[in-house]
Amino acid sequence: MNPAEIDEARAQAQALIAACSEPNALKDLERRYLGKSGVLAGWLAGIPALPPAERPQLGQAVNRLKRELGELIVARSAALEKEAFERDAAAGTFDPTLPPPGVERGHLHPLTQLTREVEDLFVSMGYQVADGPEIETDWNNFEALNIPPDHPARDSQDTFYLDGPGPLVLRTHTSPVQIRALTRLAPPLRVIAPGKVFRHEATDASHEHTFHQLEGLVVDKHVSVAHLIHSMKTLLRGIFRKDVEVRLRPGFFPFVEPGFELDARCPFCTSGCSVCKQTRWIELLPCGLVHPNVLKAGGVDPDEWSGFAFGLGLSRLVMLRYGINDVRLLLGGDLRFLEQF
Ligand SMILES: [Zn+2]
């Protein structure tokens, strides 16, 4: 390569671009001169092999040519586009009244989709949908739920504490809505409360500082565990679109007595899989009959009324349904993940 060669290439390229009358041919020219393996790239790659004294001058000359040809191609491309537009307009084939191409539309987050489905299912069973604040009083989040300040259950639900008029926390579960519902609505009542909850958590594939739960509460006369099982089976049939067997194991939660862990038959296999860790059962939710102390805290007489409550992990349910193996994906905001739903 030498200055004369560069000038020759400039003259040749200018003539070719000016004579080009077709967008695809222009693209070919662009590739030939400016592409990754084009003429100019080849020259630039050869510069280190030149005598040191010639390198700066030739390098600058090639880069200048690169810029010039780039500008020429952009200008020629715009000119071709304008010509095509004018040709179509003159021929009467261009219809300016046609609507523009559609705008790309988003869609609901998989968590929102599932929450709405679950809400519909419970509404069909006579539940109403309640809402509660994400910033809660310590009383509603812990004490009224039978979790006094020195209770060990507080350790497993460490959260973010806020300065406020009284002790305030980011709620660790949707259970405080139980207290709000009890104090605002008179029994009999059936309420669900979906929403965001928070934990002070070292995050990993199965732990996240922010996730979604759905709280359920029924208070009526003569409420039994059988009613609880019926509601859960109806829910699972709606979500997985087939009958799902459930089982109860004793579990301790301060706000219910007796308390249970409800497991569902793995809907994905018949003889064990990675979702159920080969056990054929999936731990689904904590539940139980509402503790008399909780009813009292909500101003309801436990001698007259009884109820059941459950806490459904909505994030977990979304993960189960779609086979998602990392909870952090749900709120990570990565469109490559979200566009799959
Ligand atoms: Zn399984």
Side-chain angles (χ1 to χ4, degrees), residues 17-18 32 55 95 103 107 112 123 132 163 184 226 244 252 336:
I17 291 168
R32 178 165 142 199
R55 286 180 206 165
D95 180 356
V103 177
H107 64 82
T112 311
V123 167
D163 292 330
R184 274 193 27 227
V244 180
F252 173 74
R336 290 169 303 176

Side-chain angles (χ1 to χ4, degrees), residues 266-269 272-278 280:
C266 178
F268 305 108
C269 68
C273 67
S274 62
V275 177
C276 61
K277 302 193 182 88
Q278 312 303 330
R280 291 287 287 113

Side-chain angles (χ1 to χ4, degrees), residues 173-252:
H173 43 190
T174 40
S175 305
V177 186
Q178 281 189 37
I179 301 300
R180 290 178 174 274
L182 282 172
T183 44
R184 274 193 27 227
L185 308 167
L189 56 88
R190 294 178 204 183
V191 176
I192 53 162
K196 234 186 255 167
V197 300
F198 309 88
R199 299 282 168 92
H200 183 204
E201 194 92 67
T203 61
D204 61 27
S206 44
H207 295 89
E208 176 64 296
H209 51 71
T210 304
F211 53 101
H212 288 71
Q213 270 189 356
L214 179 136
E215 190 74 11
L217 173 69
V218 169
V219 177
D220 208 328
K221 301 209 163 154
H222 315 298
V223 170
S224 76
V225 176
H227 297 116
L228 168 65
I229 292 175
H230 173 264
S231 280
M232 294 303 104
K233 289 192 81 159
T234 308
L235 165 74
L236 292 171
R237 187 166 50 238
I239 300 288
F240 293 104
R241 298 193 173 86
K242 62 179 177 186
D243 279 314
V244 180
E245 201 185 330
V246 299
R247 73 174 181 189
L248 294 178
R249 285 179 293 119
F252 173 74

